[in-house]
Amino acid sequence: MSNKCRAGALVSEVFNKEGVKYLFGIPGGHIYPTMERCEELGIKFIGVRHEMTASFAAEGWALTTGKIGVCTGTAGPGFTNMVTGMANSFVGAIPVMHLAGKARVIENDRNELQDFNQMAMVASMTKHARAVAEPERIPEYVGRAIAHATTGKPGPVYLEIPRDLMDTQVDPSTVEFQKNYCLDSKPQGDPASIKGALELIQQAKKPVIIAGSGVWFAQGHNELKEFVEKSGIPFATRNAARGCIPDSHPLFISVGYNHPVLQATMAESDLAIVIGTRPGFTLSREIFRKDLKIIRIDIDAAELTNQLDITVGINGDAREVIKQLTDGVSQGGYPEWTGYIHAVKQQFAGFFVQMCDDKHTPIHPVHLMNQIAQRVDENTIVVIDGGDTATWASLSIPATGPGQHLSIAGTSYGPLGVGMGYAIAAKLAHPEKKVIMITGDGAFGYGAMEYDTCMRYGINITTVILNDGLWGMIKRGEAKKSNGTSKFVGVILKEQVHYEKIVEGFGGYGEFVTDPAEVGNAIDRALASGKPACVNVVTDPEIGPPR
């Protein structure tokens, strides 16, 4: 940089230094100096149609790359539109930076355009939040926010810069830029705790690993695979760790949720190694029996005893601790134990086969999921959105690689509408891979306009809609409580809507499918179209997933 510039450009200089590739948002005067300089530095601004999508796209970038995602919104409503994504990242401990504009300092509390007390909102949903008061200190604040988001237990951070500060002319040669804002130093586990864990592993006859998001954000997927294969311990993956070891691995148990296979496995296990995750909505505390020995690994020491009585706790970076355990564990295997798990998996697979009817009309949801699963390979990223749709997909669709399985079920917050943001980010991060988004007709409505974004930036994703004309999860849940005479309120959507026409209207590819025999062919044609595409599949509203 030379001569004077607007202070907002200093934000972009730090982004460039820290390896940010994309900035997701909607243009606004409050943030335009940053957007403009990002483009000049080769940091592509992706202009979406709603700031919620921008927030989810930044989150999707983190989920598919393991690196911080960045989004921005102008002051007031632009900021509040990002809040849902911010909350989801906080619940899921996902590293995202939210940058917002703010009304001019001289406009505070004068009922001026988009003036709003934004800082008061973010305290409960961010790891770190600051408002810049001096333009020359912008690099310091940006670098510090990135460090907070990406070190220790990751999470969202928030930074706001008033418009008059953004527009202030500064001389970059007088501004201090640190050499390093983030360091690669990672904490290892205490040697005594490592020793205790290795003793438990040696004694175990039926051990299980449950690996969560902490593994992914520590970028410990290769180390996890090495540990699994040396120790011979079966594993389940969950949340952002889905695909850290592909589901096709012979020691894979199931998704690490309240899955029937994992429940049956945990009922017999004598040792659980829980890495970088916690029980809750998708992984019940009840799965962990009172007499079960537990080794727990987490970057946050307070999480070690959160909700579980553990035998050994190891506070440290997941990748570093796994390396320590791998160095000390004996080469081993558990043929009887893995044989039992394989039999349980076969039984569950048979149950799913019995459920599926490939001639049923309207189309059976399991038939649809089977057709999608057949087209998911090691070069496929799957994005999952919706309620019942997410349950079906979580039970049916494999995770084939690290950062290649992004789901609404990855946190307990459960915000519908994550799909388009996740899918856009995944395709930008991995342009060589195909991206299939699986969603319900209800969830599709949150981001349908983002097909305009896909067309403008050449982001070729394929959406498959499970179209049952319902807010299905709500209707089925209330039906269980009904006495048979109750009328359902607000849960019925219009039947057989041609959502694919929205995609075609933007210039994309669309198909409407009612014939079970055409489901797979339609998906193939969409994937081969070379365009943003949508396969809109009419499914039976009377068939919901098993609970």
Side-chain angles (χ1 to χ4, degrees):
M1 297 175 68
S2 62
N3 302 320
K4 288 191 174 183
C5 67
R6 289 190 287 179
L10 302 176
V11 176
S12 313
E13 298 296 328
V14 181
F15 284 171
N16 191 47
K17 182 179 177 62
E18 294 302 317
V20 173
K21 301 298 183 186
Y22 291 95
L23 176 64
F24 301 96
I26 289 180
H30 296 80
I31 54 174
Y32 196 80
T34 297
M35 294 165 45
E36 183 178 50
R37 183 58 180 159
C38 277
E39 284 280 340
E40 293 172 355
L41 292 172
I43 301 170
K44 185 72 174 175
F45 179 78
I46 303 296
V48 296
R49 297 298 298 268
H50 194 289
E51 290 91 348
M52 187 176 79
T53 301
S55 190
F56 286 142
E59 186 175 279
W61 181 267
L63 291 169
T64 198
T65 67
K67 302 181 185 301
I68 189 170
V70 182
C71 59
T72 189
T74 192
F79 157 78
T80 54
N81 283 345
M82 293 193 295
V83 166
T84 298
M86 189 184 297
N88 194 53
S89 295
F90 184 75
V91 171
I94 301 168
V96 176
M97 180 171 178
H98 299 79
L99 175 70
K102 178 73 169 68
R104 295 176 180 89
V105 174
I106 61 171
E107 295 174 340
N108 284 352
D109 301 321
R110 288 182 169 177
N111 197 31
E112 296 289 349
L113 177 66
Q114 298 181 336
D115 181 34
F116 182 70
N117 186 358
Q118 297 165 184
M119 289 296 297
M121 287 188 63
V122 299
S124 65
M125 62 184 80
T126 56
K127 186 180 175 186
H128 172 87
R130 292 292 186 273
V132 176
E134 298 178 52
E136 290 81 7
R137 293 183 65 189
I138 285 175
E140 173 190 344
Y141 276 97
V142 175
R144 185 183 301 165
I146 293 173
H148 275 281
T150 57
T151 58
K153 181 180 178 179
V157 295
Y158 171 74
L159 188 67
E160 72 179 30
I161 306 175
R163 186 167 186 172
D164 42 0
L165 270 65
M166 268 274 189
D167 285 333
T168 298
Q169 292 289 316
V170 296
D171 182 351
S173 66
T174 66
V175 176
E176 182 179 353
F177 289 87
Q178 291 179 212
K179 291 181 180 179
N180 298 296
Y181 293 103
C182 303
L183 298 176
D184 292 331
S185 177
K186 306 292 183 184
Q188 292 188 328
D190 172 64
S193 300
I194 296 292
K195 180 181 178 182
L198 290 169
E199 289 173 353
L200 286 177
I201 293 170
Q202 187 175 16
Q203 297 163 8
K205 303 298 182 185
K206 299 177 180 180
V208 167
I209 295 168
I210 301 176
S213 299
V215 174
W216 174 238
F217 290 119
Q219 292 292 276
H221 41 286
N222 292 328
E223 288 75 12
L224 178 64
K225 184 172 185 287
E226 185 180 354
F227 175 62
V228 163
E229 293 181 345
K230 183 178 180 183
S231 66
I233 300 175
F235 69 95
T237 55
R238 57 188 268 100
N239 301 344
R242 292 289 287 123
C244 276
I245 306 175
D247 293 3
S248 57
H249 195 283
L251 291 175
F252 177 69
I253 301 169
S254 73
V255 60
Y257 301 152
N258 293 329
H259 190 288
V261 175
L262 183 62
Q263 289 181 340
T265 300
M266 293 294 287
E268 299 294 327
S269 176
D270 58 5
L271 174 67
I273 305 172
V274 182
I275 311 175
T277 195
R278 55 190 165 174
F281 176 64
T282 59
L283 182 67
S284 298
R285 293 174 293 279
E286 290 74 20
I287 282 181
F288 299 90
R289 304 186 322 272
K290 292 297 183 182
D291 63 331
L292 179 67
K293 292 183 173 64
I294 300 174
I295 298 168
R296 195 166 184 185
I297 302 163
D298 206 284
I299 190 70
D300 184 351
E303 286 290 345
L304 294 175
T305 54
N306 180 2
Q307 305 183 67
L308 297 176
D309 285 321
I310 62 170
T311 314
V312 172
I314 307 175
N315 177 215
D317 176 80
R319 182 174 66 178
E320 295 303 316
V321 173
I322 293 169
K323 285 162 62 176
Q324 290 175 280
L325 292 176
T326 303
D327 289 342
V329 79
S330 300
Q331 190 81 39
Y334 304 85
E336 290 186 13
W337 178 225
T338 54
Y340 167 79
I341 295 171
H342 179 73
V344 174
K345 290 175 67 175
Q346 290 295 103
Q347 184 179 16
F348 179 76
F351 165 72
F352 243 64
V353 169
Q354 291 175 10
M355 284 187 69
C356 181
D357 182 346
D358 60 7
K359 295 180 174 55
H360 184 92
T361 55
I363 293 165
H364 197 295
V366 175
H367 173 59
L368 171 57
M369 295 300 160
N370 284 346
Q371 292 300 305
I372 297 171
Q374 290 174 28
R375 287 152 178 86
V376 174
D377 57 23
E378 66 276 7
N379 291 312
T380 305
I381 298 172
V382 173
V383 173
I384 300 169
D385 201 354
D388 278 352
T389 302
T391 304
W392 285 121
S394 294
L395 289 169
S396 310
I397 307 299
T400 58
Q404 292 182 208
H405 196 96
L406 285 60
S407 174
I408 183 178
T411 80
S412 60
Y413 195 59
L416 291 176
V418 300
M420 286 302 296
Y422 284 9
I424 287 168
K427 188 63 177 179
L428 289 171
H430 307 285
E432 77 287 359
K433 297 184 186 296
K434 59 186 177 185
V435 175
I436 299 175
M437 183 177 91
I438 307 167
T439 187
D441 49 348
F444 180 73
Y446 282 75
M449 286 298 292
E450 299 300 343
Y451 265 93
D452 168 60
T453 306
C454 293
M455 293 301 299
R456 282 183 287 120
Y457 293 100
I459 303 170
N460 294 342
I461 64 172
T462 295
T463 296
V464 180
I465 301 176
L466 189 154
N467 186 347
D468 61 3
L470 297 172
W471 293 106
M473 178 176 281
I474 306 304
K475 183 185 177 185
R476 277 180 260 278
E478 293 304 315
K480 293 179 180 179
K481 308 170 191 175
S482 172
N483 59 11
T485 61
S486 301
K487 291 185 178 181
F488 294 105
V489 179
V491 299
I492 308 299
L493 299 173
K494 195 172 186 302
E495 294 181 1
Q496 299 196 15
V497 174
H498 283 260
Y499 296 107
E500 80 287 351
K501 296 293 184 184
I502 297 172
V503 179
E504 291 177 344
F506 285 120
Y509 181 87
E511 288 206 31
F512 184 74
V513 183
T514 58
D515 181 356
E518 280 301 305
V519 172
N521 295 329
I523 296 172
D524 288 339
R525 289 189 290 267
L527 291 168
S529 69
K531 297 180 179 181
C534 174
V535 180
N536 184 13
V537 182
V538 176
T539 58
D540 194 330
E542 299 302 320
I543 301 175
R547 299 297 179 191

